Amino acid sequence: MTSSATTSPSLSSPAVLDGTGRTALVVGATGISGSATVDLLAANGWTVLALSRRPGIARDNVRWVSVDLQNADDLARTLAAENPSHVYITAWSRQATEEENIRVNGGMVRDLLAALDHAPLEHVALMTGLKHYLGSFDAYGQGEIPETPFREEEPRRAEQNFYYAQEDEVFAAAARRGFTWSTHRSHTVVGHAVGNAMNMGLTLAVYATICRVLERPFIFPGSETQWNGLTDMTDATVLAEQMVWASTHEAGRNEPFNVVNGDVFRWRWMWQRLADYFGVVPVGPGTEPQPLEQQMAGIESTWTTIARDHGLAEADVSRLASWWHTDADLGRTMEVVTDMSKSRLAGFTTHHRTVDSFTALFDQYRAEKLIP
């Protein structure tokens, strides 16, 4: 389901609507995207219901709501007394097959919105991603891929995809209840979280730290295509800003939007900058990818020692690094670049440099003693 923006071009800053008197439910509030959304809403005066399996840190304007998203009865019972006006869905659960992904993740959105049938919902924003264009896990990069840069008007692919299932549940509830919606197709998201299944920023920070301590070269684990081709990424703060902008501006209603930082880069350029930050020697790809899952096999005890020697807060490397996810992104043999014109012309003008997203994140992880 796609539609075209009909608003006139605007170069104004997408000021976030003051949240005074409004209540937002953030689903997946401890994840990379969810935590950035909680931060943004709380800072702008919203009352935030932060929904996650486990509660996070206590803070002003935020109330933690613990619930199992895969348990419809738990959702109904827990949310019965809650009355959010806006919902931001950033959570999903990876399953063994796409059929199971559809059943579980489509079901979570359906049951969540059913549990809020009593609430005065105005808008539901759903985070998805570029699998809309590239295909599901089972069919990723197969068949006919749209020409880059990817644009929102591209139709759905023929095969099943759990993103489509989630969207369809939002569309059905919106038609029934009368609230507006937006979908947000991010690329690889860079942001702060620990224990997240897909966290390239922290994964690369841990990898570079191990290379420095062991005096090993900082070898690019991916393909020559990714090394030499153009790509882009999504800062979690940009995603959060776009979701809140879409939910509080007329131009954002009932529209799908791509969301990336706005710059493009080549990994051969970025890898040198990351190496400079950590003081390691960068090495480009070989004729075949050298995945981190192979490079870092058996590294658990080494990280435990590094954590002990440097007084780090987390000694379990599996809580920090998602080798498989970074391998999947950097190992692609296709160009992945995203067009941002639609939301730019509609008035969303936030722009980040991805290298700054990385270094700011690394600074934060150092301050929190997650890396030395």
Side-chain angles (χ1 to χ4, degrees):
M1 182 170 182
T2 61
S3 54
S4 300
T6 57
T7 55
S8 59
S10 171
L11 297 179
S12 61
S13 297
V16 175
L17 182 69
D18 176 36
T20 303
R22 292 174 178 262
T23 299
L25 174 67
V26 179
V27 182
T30 58
I32 294 175
S33 305
S35 60
T37 306
V38 169
D39 289 345
L40 178 63
L41 291 164
N44 280 273
W46 293 68
T47 296
V48 181
L49 305 174
L51 190 152
S52 65
R53 186 180 290 271
R54 299 176 184 84
I57 299 171
R59 52 185 298 184
D60 291 342
N61 294 340
V62 177
R63 178 160 57 83
W64 290 93
V65 179
S66 297
V67 69
D68 181 358
L69 283 170
Q70 296 184 43
N71 186 321
D73 291 338
D74 192 21
L75 277 166
R77 181 172 54 255
T78 303
L79 297 178
E82 308 297 352
N83 290 286
S85 57
H86 293 66
V87 177
Y88 303 90
I89 303 173
T90 68
W92 68 284
S93 176
R94 186 174 182 181
Q95 305 298 309
T97 66
E98 193 60 19
E99 183 176 298
E100 279 298 289
N101 277 329
I102 289 167
R103 183 186 67 81
V104 170
N105 292 286
M108 287 195 305
V109 174
R110 180 188 65 246
D111 294 341
L112 170 77
L113 296 179
L116 293 170
D117 266 347
H118 63 280
L121 297 186
E122 297 177 21
H123 189 95
V124 173
L126 172 68
M127 172 191 170
T128 63
L130 298 193
K131 291 184 197 60
H132 179 92
Y133 310 107
L134 293 168
S136 64
F137 285 111
D138 290 353
Y140 190 80
Q142 300 173 22
E144 186 175 352
I145 304 297
E147 186 176 52
T148 55
F150 298 140
R151 296 178 172 87
E152 292 91 340
E153 62 265 25
E154 288 291 340
R156 289 180 172 183
R157 290 169 57 96
E159 73 275 356
Q160 291 186 315
N161 188 314
F162 82 87
Y163 284 158
Y164 306 159
Q166 289 184 308
E167 288 177 341
D168 287 344
E169 295 296 346
V170 172
F171 300 154
R176 185 179 73 250
R177 294 284 312 283
F179 59 76
T180 58
W181 56 266
S182 58
T183 58
H184 304 266
R185 301 170 186 165
S186 62
H187 195 176
T188 302
V189 180
V190 178
H192 181 273
V194 177
N196 189 276
M198 299 190 297
N199 193 337
M200 180 184 284
L202 187 50
T203 298
L204 291 179
V206 169
Y207 173 46
T209 298
I210 291 169
C211 289
R212 185 178 71 236
V213 171
L214 299 183
E215 298 183 348
R216 290 166 52 166
F218 186 50
I219 300 172
F220 183 75
S223 68
E224 289 185 322
T225 301
Q226 290 302 303
W227 181 256
N228 293 312
L230 289 173
T231 192
D232 51 28
M233 295 182 75
T234 305
D235 191 300
T237 63
V238 176
L239 172 61
E241 286 187 30
Q242 193 194 68
M243 292 179 80
V244 177
W245 165 80
S247 72
T248 55
H249 288 72
E250 184 66 34
R253 295 174 181 171
N254 301 330
E255 297 285 352
F257 292 108
N258 292 332
V259 53
V260 288
N261 290 346
D263 67 338
V264 294
F265 63 91
R266 303 182 199 276
W267 275 107
R268 69 188 189 208
W269 179 89
M270 184 68 74
W271 206 246
Q272 178 68 59
R273 274 75 194 166
L274 303 186
D276 290 344
Y277 181 96
F278 287 101
V280 292
V281 178
V283 174
T287 55
E288 295 292 333
Q290 302 180 62
L292 292 175
E293 280 200 303
Q294 294 179 13
Q295 291 192 52
M296 296 290 102
I299 206 68
E300 292 81 6
S301 61
T302 299
W303 184 260
T304 300
T305 301
I306 293 171
R308 182 197 64 207
D309 292 347
H310 294 273
L312 301 183
E314 180 56 71
D316 182 358
V317 73
S318 69
R319 289 265 305 154
L320 305 176
S322 48
W323 309 124
W324 70 271
H325 172 253
T326 298
D327 285 340
D329 266 24
L330 299 185
R332 292 180 296 201
T333 56
M334 69 193 84
E335 180 181 74
V336 180
V337 185
T338 312
D339 183 72
M340 278 286 286
S341 298
K342 181 177 179 179
S343 61
R344 294 281 188 258
L345 294 173
F348 180 77
T349 57
T350 298
H351 180 100
H352 278 214
R353 289 199 320 166
T354 302
V355 67
D356 296 335
S357 297
F358 272 123
T359 56
L361 182 62
F362 298 155
D363 288 345
Q364 185 176 3
Y365 281 135
R366 275 185 167 167
E368 295 175 353
K369 299 294 288 181
L370 289 168
I371 58 173

